[in-house]
Amino acid sequence: VQLQASGGGVVQAGGSLRVSCEASGGVYSPFAMGWYRKAAGLQRELVAVITTSDFGSDTTNYGDSVKDRFTISLDNAKKTVYLKMANLKPEDTAVYYCNFKRWGAYAIDVWGKGTLVTVSS
């Protein structure tokens, strides 16, 4: 599996931004795909992840600091996840990394190159 992230950049506090991540090569459900971030001097943390299911609805999980501000979505046909970030704060400044996971017999854990999001005050 390869991941191609796009988006990111500089935005003023209170603004919005969208990053996306396209997966290719051996992408089949179920899987978990989403975003983590690492700010300077801090540990990497969960931003948002969407987990597909062959038996029901996909599920989403968000980091506490982004709940109610960020929204993750998946275009399964395009194998692309989108992270819409609203009401951005300077503390959201970080390198955002896309991640793809599968488990079981075909377990895999792939990280994409990071994309920098800078929120200016």
Side-chain angles (χ1 to χ4, degrees):
V1 173
Q2 294 84 41
L3 301 176
Q4 181 66 50
S6 60
V10 181
V11 63
Q12 287 189 331
S16 298
L17 201 62
R18 190 181 80 165
V19 292
S20 60
C21 180
E22 179 182 5
S24 60
V27 181
Y28 45 86
S29 188
F31 59 83
M33 190 168 171
W35 294 90
Y36 294 74
R37 70 186 182 186
K38 188 179 184 314
L42 299 177
Q43 292 186 334
R44 187 172 59 198
E45 64 173 351
L46 167 71
V47 177
V49 170
I50 189 164
T51 304
T52 68
S53 171
D54 291 336
F55 306 103
S57 302
D58 297 344
T59 58
T60 56
N61 287 291
Y62 293 91
D64 290 340
S65 61
V66 306
K67 283 179 182 176
D68 302 322
R69 297 190 296 123
F70 291 11
T71 304
I72 190 169
S73 60
L74 169 67
D75 183 331
N76 216 342
K78 295 181 180 179
K79 305 302 182 190
T80 299
V81 289
Y82 301 94
L83 181 69
K84 182 177 179 181
M85 302 179 283
N87 190 21
L88 282 159
K89 304 175 181 180
E91 50 264 42
D92 294 317
T93 295
V95 179
Y96 285 68
Y97 296 92
C98 182
N99 177 258
F100 178 95
K101 285 188 180 71
R102 247 192 351 252
W103 43 91
Y106 302 99
I108 190 171
D109 188 355
V110 180
W111 292 91
K113 292 182 180 179
T115 184
L116 178 62
V117 172
T118 302
V119 184
S120 62
S121 57

